[in-house]
Amino acid sequence: MTHSQASRPTYSASNYQVNYRGNHQPIGVFDSGAGGLTVLKELERQLPNEPLLYLGDTARVPYGTRSPEEIVEFARQIITWMVGRNVKMVVMACNTSSALALEKMRQEFDIPILGLIQPAAKLAINQRRRIGVIATPTTARSHAYRDAIKGRSPSTAVWEVGCPEFVPIVEGGRINNPETLDIVRTYVQPLLDQGIDSLVYGCTHYPHLAPVLDQILPGAIARIDPAVSIVRDAKEVLDTLKLHHVAPLQNHRFCVTGDKAQFSLLANQWLNEPPTVDQVSLSATISPTLIYPIPLAI
Ligand code: DGL
């Protein structure tokens, strides 16, 4: 069984309740940059009471042209950093990390870690049978989506296209530039030529390109956003482990490893409230301002 075919482990209260100290702690959410904000918004929609600790690894974006080894190492550093801040669960809001690093991280860390690929495959096959996937080159090369979809529904046809130019467009704030339409069309046209009936956003940056895709995709083609399904999964795990946050909502925290300014600009456009963003070093000692309170008794 390949990484992408492996289903979510069964998280049981007896395994985890002892180790994870309680529902006050945030859910850690990470991506290479601002793409994961599409998942964060879905978390806010489905789980409005949960405090979130968001990390955008903007010093190293884009991930999607990097080697599998780098992706694994970056995930390891980020999850180590998040565990140091007492997260109760990690949501990989990054398809590239989910495709390349999820299973390894589940072996290395004793904390629930959720990835995007399997929940998205489950969602996709419920809907259609000719599925196009736009993804980063590293995700497309891994065939994580093809394997996950065909693992569930062998007769479903899947085409994956790596789109190296999309993340720089989104991170660079160039979505509305005139040349973006032609660039996006170049990558999507081969999928249209195959007669796809649905399109998976195989990178969390891509839902930001929806206004451009609206001009290219016929309305009959369903869009599948894995954010919806990973958050359903997160909700189920919180249910099972009885880890839902019950106290009044704490503010989310937003951290980046690179420059704060560009991330803040994008986050201000996409989130309801302009966030305060901290720049952090993943190897630095824990800053007390970033530690969430741990309940004294559980
Ligand atoms: N948003 C991430 C993904 O879903 C990473 C994209 C990138 O940095 O290339 O794959």
Side-chain angles (χ1 to χ4, degrees):
M1 182 181 280
T2 65
H3 291 173
S4 52
Q5 285 170 327
S7 292
R8 192 185 80 208
T10 308
Y11 292 116
S12 78
S14 55
N15 291 344
Y16 281 92
Q17 197 72 337
V18 177
N19 299 333
Y20 292 99
R21 286 150 294 210
N23 47 27
H24 292 67
Q25 294 159 228
I27 298 173
V29 183
F30 79 87
D31 180 42
S32 61
L37 295 177
T38 56
V39 177
L40 180 129
K41 285 185 79 163
E42 189 59 28
L43 280 159
E44 286 181 328
R45 196 179 71 78
Q46 291 191 44
L47 294 168
N49 295 324
E50 292 298 330
L52 306 173
L53 170 60
Y54 187 91
L55 190 277
D57 192 7
T58 53
R60 302 188 285 200
V61 67
Y63 275 12
T65 45
R66 290 181 179 270
S67 69
E69 292 74 23
E70 283 178 296
I71 299 301
V72 168
E73 182 52 28
F74 295 169
R76 182 179 288 124
Q77 291 171 6
I78 292 169
I79 297 172
T80 302
W81 180 87
M82 288 188 158
V83 167
R85 279 146 190 85
N86 300 312
V87 297
K88 62 187 172 192
M89 172 194 284
V90 172
V91 169
M92 286 186 169
C94 172
N95 288 268
T96 313
S97 308
S98 304
L100 277 305
L102 178 64
E103 292 313 310
K104 194 141 188 51
M105 294 305 100
R106 281 178 172 163
Q107 287 159 16
E108 293 184 13
F109 291 91
D110 181 21
I111 184 171
I113 303 174
L114 302 188
L116 287 152
I117 312 281
Q118 281 295 338
K122 196 161 52 177
L123 188 68
I125 58 157
N126 278 344
Q127 303 192 8
R128 306 292 172 98
R129 287 294 174 266
R130 295 179 70 78
I131 300 176
V133 182
I134 46 174
T136 66
T138 300
T139 301
R141 255 195 312 272
S142 77
H143 297 300
Y145 269 104
R146 183 197 64 191
D147 294 350
I149 292 169
K150 286 194 164 286
R152 290 172 182 273
S153 172
S155 63
T156 296
V158 184
W159 294 271
E160 298 155 293
V161 173
C163 312
E165 295 182 76
F166 288 7
V167 168
I169 287 172
V170 174
E171 289 285 332
R174 292 186 279 116
I175 294 169
N176 297 318
N177 284 17
E179 65 274 15
T180 297
L181 180 63
D182 281 341
I183 295 171
V184 173
R185 196 192 304 278
T186 307
Y187 290 100
V188 173
Q189 191 59 48
L191 296 173
L192 296 179
D193 293 344
Q194 296 293 344
I196 58 165
D197 56 22
S198 53
L199 182 74
V200 176
Y201 292 129
C203 168
T204 52
H205 283 77
Y206 298 175
H208 294 305
L209 290 168
V212 181
L213 287 163
D214 287 346
Q215 298 171 59
I216 300 169
L217 293 181
I221 295 181
R223 315 267 180 101
I224 296 165
D225 185 351
V228 176
S229 45
I230 194 176
V231 177
R232 277 187 205 147
D233 251 31
K235 194 165 178 300
E236 275 177 29
V237 174
L238 293 178
D239 286 343
T240 308
L241 301 182
K242 299 187 176 31
L243 279 179
H244 282 284
H245 187 258
V246 285
L249 180 61
Q250 300 156 1
N251 287 336
H252 303 326
R253 290 190 185 277
F254 293 86
C255 301
V256 290
T257 54
D259 180 41
K260 292 195 291 191
Q262 181 61 9
F263 181 88
S264 302
L265 198 73
L266 298 174
N268 286 351
Q269 287 168 31
W270 295 328
L271 301 179
N272 296 334
E273 282 184 36
T276 304
V277 182
D278 293 306
Q279 190 184 35
V280 296
S281 159
L282 295 180
S283 55
T285 50
I286 297 171
S287 151
T289 58
L290 288 175
I291 301 176
Y292 281 80
I294 301 172
L296 290 177
I298 48 163

